[in-house]
Amino acid sequence: MRLLLAEDDTVLADRLRTLLEEAGYVVLHSTDGSDAEYQGQVEDVAAAVVDLGLPGLDGLSVIERWRQAGRTFPVLVLTARSRWHDKLAGFDAGADDFLTKPFQPEELLLRLRALIRRSAGHASPRLSCGPLQLDVNAARFELDGVPLALSPQEYRILSYFMHHPDVVISRSRLGEHVYEAGFDPDSNTLDVLIGRIRRKLGSELIHTHRGQGFRLSAQP
């Protein structure tokens, strides 16, 4: 699952990027507002984290342009401003939630997961597909109640499937959400990773649709 992080503080951005990648996300990072606005227009992202004090184009303007262009992904705003009228301006621009600096990185992760769940229509923090369950808040899979050990890339693939059950997902779409850039759809890397996941699941949950992609379903 891809996220856009718009933050010009390189130290904070590195901390957040590491946190988000360890949680299974692919992170696109912008350090100025103009680039962030462009990335949000052309990239398929599940959510964005935006600092209001971006150089070039401020965060509020970035969010306004996204909304005017019909971009509906959830936006979590980072700000050093705690005044209510500043937050009101952010909500009016199209922000979905605010986090005031300084903050605990883990709180950002929890809020981001909640926004993504709501935008995808998932009210529950636990997703299920037959014997497989994903605890979204804990970023943990269980199979028949037993924790499932997955590599970061395996987690990203299976998490993306769990958020799109019974949907045939193409190789290129899946690859874009697992790798940051440069994915080769002709590579057999995805086949190897999905093969490993299938062996760990020990059941027929992931189905191959030749020429179309893959589907996660408890039904044949």
Side-chain angles (χ1 to χ4, degrees):
M1 189 174 294
R2 303 178 104 190
L3 302 178
L4 174 58
L5 173 62
E7 172 58 67
D8 63 318
D9 183 330
T10 55
V11 175
L12 176 59
D14 287 344
R15 287 174 57 206
L16 295 180
R17 185 168 185 167
T18 298
L19 176 76
L20 294 169
E21 288 178 344
E22 287 178 349
Y25 297 104
V26 172
V27 181
L28 307 176
H29 179 213
S30 292
T31 57
D32 68 83
S34 297
D35 182 67
E37 191 264 338
Y38 173 76
Q39 294 288 344
Q41 299 283 16
V42 302
E43 297 290 350
D44 180 16
V45 297
V49 179
V50 179
D51 179 18
L52 288 188
L54 293 171
L57 188 66
D58 66 89
L60 287 182
S61 298
V62 170
I63 298 168
E64 285 178 339
R65 293 189 183 188
W66 286 341
R67 297 315 189 210
Q68 290 169 1
R71 303 294 281 161
T72 60
F73 51 79
V75 176
L76 174 62
V77 167
L78 304 181
T79 179
R81 311 167 194 170
S82 59
R83 295 172 298 183
W84 169 244
H85 73 267
D86 290 324
K87 292 185 178 181
L88 182 60
F91 286 125
D92 286 341
D96 297 279
D97 196 4
F98 270 79
L99 199 53
T100 303
K101 299 177 181 179
F103 56 85
Q104 292 296 321
E106 291 76 14
E107 182 181 359
L108 177 140
L109 188 58
L110 290 175
R111 292 200 187 196
L112 200 53
R113 284 170 174 162
L115 288 176
I116 293 172
R117 285 201 312 275
R118 287 200 293 269
S119 70
H122 301 300
S124 171
R126 294 185 72 90
L127 306 179
S128 300
C129 180
L132 183 66
Q133 283 200 331
L134 169 60
D135 185 328
V136 178
N137 288 341
R140 182 180 63 244
F141 276 97
E142 293 181 355
L143 185 67
D144 288 322
V146 179
L148 194 62
L150 298 169
S151 71
Q153 288 183 331
E154 291 168 354
Y155 176 88
R156 290 175 185 172
I157 291 174
L158 198 50
S159 177
Y160 193 69
F161 277 135
M162 288 290 279
H163 283 87
H164 301 82
D166 296 304
V167 175
V168 177
I169 301 172
S170 69
R171 295 172 59 86
S172 59
R173 180 181 172 190
L174 188 57
E176 287 175 358
H177 285 79
V178 177
Y179 301 96
E180 293 185 38
F183 172 68
D184 180 3
D186 294 325
S187 167
N188 70 341
T189 304
L190 273 181
D191 299 281
V192 172
L193 289 170
I194 290 176
R196 291 176 183 169
I197 295 171
R198 278 177 166 147
R199 287 192 292 273
K200 291 180 179 181
L201 295 180
S203 58
E204 297 298 324
L205 291 177
I206 298 178
H207 308 270
T208 300
H209 293 256
R210 293 191 178 279
Q212 300 179 59
F214 305 95
R215 175 175 58 93
L216 178 73
S217 178
Q219 303 299 321

